[in-house]
C-alpha cells in the first residue's frame, strides 16, 4: 500500500488522503450530530475523484513530454507508465465510492 502511495506521487496522494479524511469527518459529523450534511460528503468525494483525474492527466502530460524528448520508448515502459498514472485516478474514485456508500447509509438512517 505504501508502495502505491509513493508510485502515485506524494503530492496528489497526500491531497487525496486529506480528502478521504474530509469525507470521513463529514460522515462522522452527520452521524453524531444527526445533521443533514450528506451533500458535503458527496461533494468531498467528488472533489477526490476530480483530483485523481487531474493527477493522472498531469502525470500523463509529463510522461508524454519525456517520451517526446527521448524519441523511442519500448511498449513495456509505456505500459508501466500508464499503469502508474492510473493510481491517483483509482484512489480518487475509491474515495468517491466510499462517500456515496456513506451518504446512502446516512440517508437510510434518517
Amino acid at each position: 500500500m505504501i508502495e502505491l502511495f509513493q508510485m502515485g506521487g506524494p503530492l496528489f496522494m497526500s491531497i487525496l488522503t486529506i480528502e478521504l479524511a474530509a469525507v470521513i469527518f463529514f460522515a462522522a459529523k452527520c452521524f453524531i450530530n444527526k445533521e443533514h450534511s450528506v451533500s458535503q460528503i458527496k461533494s468531498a468525494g467528488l472533489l477526490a475523484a476530480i483530483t485523481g483525474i487531474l493527477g493522472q492527466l498531469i502525470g500523463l502530460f509529463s510522461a508524454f513530454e519525456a517520451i517526446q524528448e527521448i524519441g523511442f520508448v519500448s511498449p513495456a515502459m509505456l505500459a508501466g507508465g500508464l499503469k502508474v498514472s492510473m493510481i491517483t485516478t483509482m484512489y480518487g474514485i475509491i474515495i468517491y465510492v466510499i462517500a456515496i456508500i456513506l451518504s446512502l447509509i446516512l440517508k437510510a438512517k434518517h
Side-chain angles (χ1 to χ4, degrees):
M1 193 68 157
I2 294 172
E3 183 180 325
L4 283 175
F5 189 89
Q6 292 171 343
M7 285 174 52
L11 175 64
F12 276 98
M13 295 300 279
S14 298
I15 291 170
L16 287 168
T17 303
I18 291 168
E19 291 169 350
L20 173 62
V23 167
I24 294 170
F25 171 77
F26 290 133
K29 181 180 166 185
C30 187
F31 183 75
I32 292 170
N33 296 336
K34 300 194 191 253
E35 294 177 10
H36 294 288
S37 60
V38 174
S39 64
Q40 291 176 330
I41 298 168
K42 286 183 180 180
S43 295
L46 184 59
L47 180 63
I50 292 170
T51 303
I53 292 169
L54 178 63
Q56 180 179 13
L57 291 175
I58 290 173
L60 285 173
F61 182 79
S62 299
F64 288 140
E65 197 171 67
I67 290 170
Q68 183 179 10
E69 288 178 15
I70 294 171
F72 175 75
V73 176
S74 71
M77 187 179 282
L78 182 61
L82 292 173
K83 181 181 83 171
V84 168
S85 76
M86 290 185 195
I87 293 172
T88 56
T89 305
M90 286 188 304
Y91 191 36
I93 291 174
I94 288 169
I95 294 170
Y96 185 57
V97 168
I98 290 169
I100 295 296
I101 291 170
L102 286 172
S103 67
L104 289 172
I105 290 170
L106 289 170
K107 277 185 180 179
K109 267 193 101 153
H110 293 290

